[in-house]
Amino acid sequence: MTIEIIHSRSEGTLIEGSAKGDGVYEIVRRHGFRYMPSIGQLGIRQSRDRAAKTWYINAAAAALREAGFEVNVTIDESNRRSFAEAEADRVERAEGRAERFSGYADNAANRSESAYQHGHQVADGIPMGQPILVGHHSERRARRDVERIDHAMRTSISESEKASYWSGRQRAAEGYEQFRKAPRRTLRRIERLQADLRRVQRRQREESAEGSGRDVTNQELVIRHEELTEEIAYWEAVIAEAEKNGFKVWSKADFKKGDFVRRGKTWFEVLRVNAKSVTIPHIHNGIGGGVVRASDNKLDGWTWLLTYDEVFGRRSAEEMEAALAASTTE
């Protein structure tokens, strides 16, 4: 029997040629492989859109060969999905989860209601205030009814908790795309990705220099460079769409010393303008809202760096004075 261990970025790491009961699973599960019911194959979970985990693959292949299997290993890192395709697939799967969790929640709610009604039906057959008559021929049935009522109520509560749990999972799945594309979160993601891209570019320059002028390339660095460039462009398009819909992307150009910046419900005077943030009096000065000036800093001069993705508004010193004057006359 020939076992094929195949990795591509588009499909992840999968095993082909194995059948239930052939002993392959028992061998490879010790090396990171699991059975994935959604596709009916053995593979490494969360290996799509990632570089091959060669230490797992090589260890599994060696163990299979030792057990008498013929094993072929194929790794094709160039076969990959675009980031847009991968993200669309993630959104589609989230929608599928939301639909599935909705069904789970409905079923649990129905079981809870059914158990509740059953318990009340049993209780309705017992006269109000009727005690258990010890020694009477009705004692056994009365005790059995108490147990049935208790079991029904416990089942109803348990199923109600399950319904709440699955409803929560449903809401999370439904909000996946909105969560991913939230502008402020997306800005932070872009910054991290740009830092990753700079590190990759630095490593590529170092490898080229070590090659003494020869075209020295590392395949994984080249692919990672392409992936990061693609992903950054995707999220920048998300921000551009958000800006069309009224979202403001703040930057150094929007502020000067003495302006006021809003964080949450509090306005802070800008002490210094930096490339990626503004320096303000420490946020503990602003508990409860209002306006915090430089002179209001009561924490031994402590300051706070407020990054531009955390900014919710700006006022010049003149605009702030006018707003405060208007609020006192109202």
Side-chain angles (χ1 to χ4, degrees):
M1 181 184 299
T2 301
I3 301 299
E4 303 281 348
I5 302 179
I6 302 172
H7 173 85
S8 68
R9 266 171 150 82
S10 62
E11 300 297 332
T13 305
L14 301 173
I15 288 181
E16 296 182 357
S18 174
K20 185 176 181 180
D22 61 9
V24 170
Y25 174 67
E26 288 72 18
I27 295 171
V28 300
R29 70 186 301 271
R30 297 192 294 270
H31 303 288
F33 287 79
R34 295 293 182 268
Y35 178 71
M36 295 183 283
S38 60
I39 59 174
Q41 282 184 267
L42 297 174
I44 297 177
R45 292 175 180 169
Q46 299 181 346
S47 56
R48 293 185 79 180
D49 307 310
R50 290 180 169 86
K53 296 181 178 179
T54 52
W55 57 96
Y56 284 161
I57 293 172
N58 294 336
L64 287 169
R65 291 179 181 125
E66 188 176 342
F69 293 94
E70 183 177 340
V71 181
N72 293 329
V73 175
T74 304
I75 296 177
D76 182 5
E77 298 288 8
S78 63
N79 181 1
R80 68 179 187 87
R81 304 185 291 179
S82 69
F83 181 80
E85 290 172 331
E87 189 67 12
D89 179 57
R90 285 188 281 270
V91 170
E92 184 178 347
R93 285 189 284 118
E95 292 171 350
R97 288 197 301 275
E99 184 176 351
R100 188 165 66 253
F101 296 157
S102 175
Y104 295 164
D106 289 345
N107 291 338
N110 290 336
R111 290 193 297 268
S112 175
E113 179 63 20
S114 177
Y116 178 83
Q117 294 298 336
H118 176 67
H120 272 270
Q121 287 175 0
V122 176
D124 289 344
I126 302 173
M128 181 69 70
Q130 175 67 55
I132 295 176
L133 303 176
V134 179
H136 191 265
H137 65 82
S138 64
E139 179 184 0
R140 179 179 296 180
R141 179 177 177 178
R143 293 192 183 279
R144 188 167 61 249
D145 286 345
V146 170
E147 291 177 359
R148 291 166 64 195
I149 293 169
D150 180 72
H151 177 72
M153 292 301 104
R154 290 179 183 275
T155 299
S156 178
I157 293 170
S158 174
E159 292 298 332
S160 177
E161 290 173 347
K162 289 180 184 178
S164 296
Y165 169 78
W166 289 116
S167 293
R169 293 286 301 274
Q170 176 192 347
R171 289 191 297 273
E174 288 173 339
Y176 173 83
E177 185 173 14
Q178 183 179 1
F179 175 85
R180 288 278 285 175
K181 291 185 175 180
R184 298 179 191 282
R185 186 174 293 107
T186 301
L187 286 172
R188 291 192 290 272
R189 185 183 298 118
I190 290 172
E191 188 172 343
R192 290 195 300 271
L193 291 170
Q194 288 173 337
D196 290 341
L197 179 58
R198 288 193 295 272
R199 281 191 287 271
V200 168
Q201 291 171 328
R202 185 167 58 251
R203 288 184 59 192
Q204 287 180 306
R205 288 194 298 270
E206 290 170 354
E207 290 205 358
S208 179
E210 291 172 1
S212 302
R214 289 180 289 112
D215 183 19
V216 178
T217 59
N218 180 309
Q219 183 189 19
E220 178 56 30
L221 288 177
V222 171
I223 293 172
R224 188 63 184 137
H225 187 286
E226 293 173 355
E227 288 176 334
L228 287 168
T229 302
E230 208 171 78
E231 188 173 354
I232 289 169
Y234 178 92
W235 293 120
E236 285 178 339
V238 169
I239 291 297
E241 184 64 25
E243 287 184 290
K244 287 181 183 178
N245 294 327
F247 178 76
K248 168 64 178 173
V249 178
W250 299 97
S251 70
K252 180 179 181 179
D254 295 307
F255 293 93
K256 66 179 184 296
K257 183 178 178 181
D259 285 346
F260 286 80
V261 60
R262 184 162 71 89
R263 177 188 183 273
K265 296 181 179 180
T266 306
W267 290 90
F268 293 87
E269 184 175 350
V270 175
L271 306 179
R272 186 167 55 252
V273 179
N274 313 302
K276 296 183 179 181
S277 64
V278 289
T279 304
I280 60 175
H282 198 282
I283 57 173
H284 287 174
N285 291 285
I287 296 174
V291 178
V292 178
R293 301 178 183 276
S295 57
D296 297 326
N297 197 346
K298 304 177 180 63
L299 297 173
D300 295 328
W302 289 6
T303 59
W304 187 268
L305 291 178
L306 187 70
T307 56
Y308 292 120
D309 60 85
E310 298 177 289
V311 171
F312 281 83
R314 171 205 169 271
R315 284 178 180 171
S316 66
E318 295 75 19
E319 288 171 333
M320 179 57 71
E321 291 299 330
L324 291 173
S327 65
T328 57
T329 59
E330 291 178 355

